[in-house]
Each structure stands twice: as structure tokens, then as C-alpha cells.
Amino acid sequence: FAALLSALALLGACDDDMYVTPLEVTNNNIAGTWQLAEWNGAPLAEGSFVYIEFIRKDAKYVMYQNLDSFGTRKLTGRFVIDNDAELGAVIRGSYDYGAGDWAHRYIVTDFTETSMVWTAKDDRSDISVYERCDGIPEEYSAILRQRTGRQVTAVNEGVPGATSADLLADLKDPGLRSE
């Protein structure tokens, strides 16, 4: 009889581990850093990455990614979470410096403390799985600080062809922005 009770207790413990209560999608709950783990049913190609940090207080985000460029790009902007009566939570965003809106609005599902799924509202085959992580790796943010720092040094040291107008244009480029 004791063996049966032990087995039932273990089975109950397994069921608890399998079910994770979804969270409400809010600025507070989404705040933190997330890594794109899967896109359209497959892991990202080796060396590819997207990290996005959502900042609750001002509804801002900072993203480091290399999917659409040669090298790391830093993108910043604002995000909004809307609640659609039929679809549930929908996240949308805009880029800083007048660079426009995100290409899609995303339906957020399966949102837990550790993961979430985004499905493009206008293209249900565009599915992204994000996993919470400790932060944006220093190696990616350091690359941009070094690149921007070299341009500042080049202008300050009078490197031929390096003008303050060039530096200003580079700093407005999403790939070279610095805080």
C-alpha cells in the first residue's frame, strides 16, 4: 500500500512540473531580457542571434541582433502591449530616430516566466519563440561601443576623411547607436 501511495505522489509531482501557469502579458511581466531561441520552427543558424531587453518603466526596448546585417546592430525604441478581445495580447513597437514601426504586430501566447511565443498578426506562419535570459551578452554590446569609440577617436585625431558630420550620421544609424 505504501508503494502505491509513493507512486501516486510521484505521478502528482510530475503533473505539476508539466503544467506551467501562463502569465498575463503586461509591461511588468515582460520586463527583462529575452533571446530568440527559435524562428519558424527551427533554431537560429549558428552565430545568429537576437536579444531584446524590455524596460517596463518607460515601455522602451533595446535590441541587439545580427539577422539582417553583417555584424551586430543595436536597435532601440518603444513598445506597446494591446489586448485584443479575440486574439489576446498583441505587442507592437516603433524604432527610435524616426526609423518607423516594427514590420509586424505580434500575438503573444504561451507566456510564462521563462518563455513566450510571438506570431505575426498578419502572417501566422511567422512564429518566434523567445526564452528569458540573464542579460545581453557583453561581447555584443562591447562590439558596438568599440566601433562607435573608434569613430569618435578618428574624428578627434583628425583622421583624413573622418568628419564630425560623418560621425553624427553614423550615430543616427541604428547599427551604431550608443546610449
Side-chain angles (χ1 to χ4, degrees), residues 24-27 80-92 108 121:
E24 181 180 358
V25 183
T26 64
N27 288 11
V80 174
I81 298 170
D82 297 315
N83 285 302
D84 183 285
E86 293 180 25
L87 302 174
V90 177
I91 191 167
R92 60 188 166 90
V108 182
K121 188 175 172 183

Side-chain angles (χ1 to χ4, degrees), residues 19-75:
Y19 182 75
V20 177
T21 304
L23 296 174
E24 181 180 358
V25 183
T26 64
N27 288 11
N28 189 54
N29 288 338
I30 204 169
T33 305
W34 299 83
Q35 177 182 11
L36 181 60
E38 186 179 303
W39 188 34
N40 296 333
L44 297 183
E46 187 175 337
S48 296
F49 62 87
V50 174
Y51 290 93
I52 185 165
E53 178 184 8
F54 292 102
I55 303 156
R56 174 194 54 82
K57 182 179 176 185
D58 299 317
K60 292 182 178 181
Y61 68 89
V62 177
M63 179 189 308
Y64 287 85
Q65 59 95 359
N66 69 350
L67 295 183
D68 65 355
S69 63
F70 181 75
T72 302
R73 284 181 29 148
K74 178 182 178 184
L75 304 166

Side-chain angles (χ1 to χ4, degrees), residues 143-159:
I143 289 169
L144 293 177
R145 282 195 306 277
Q146 289 171 354
R147 192 182 313 159
T148 303
R150 281 195 305 268
Q151 290 168 331
V152 170
T153 301
V155 170
N156 289 340
E157 293 178 357
V159 172

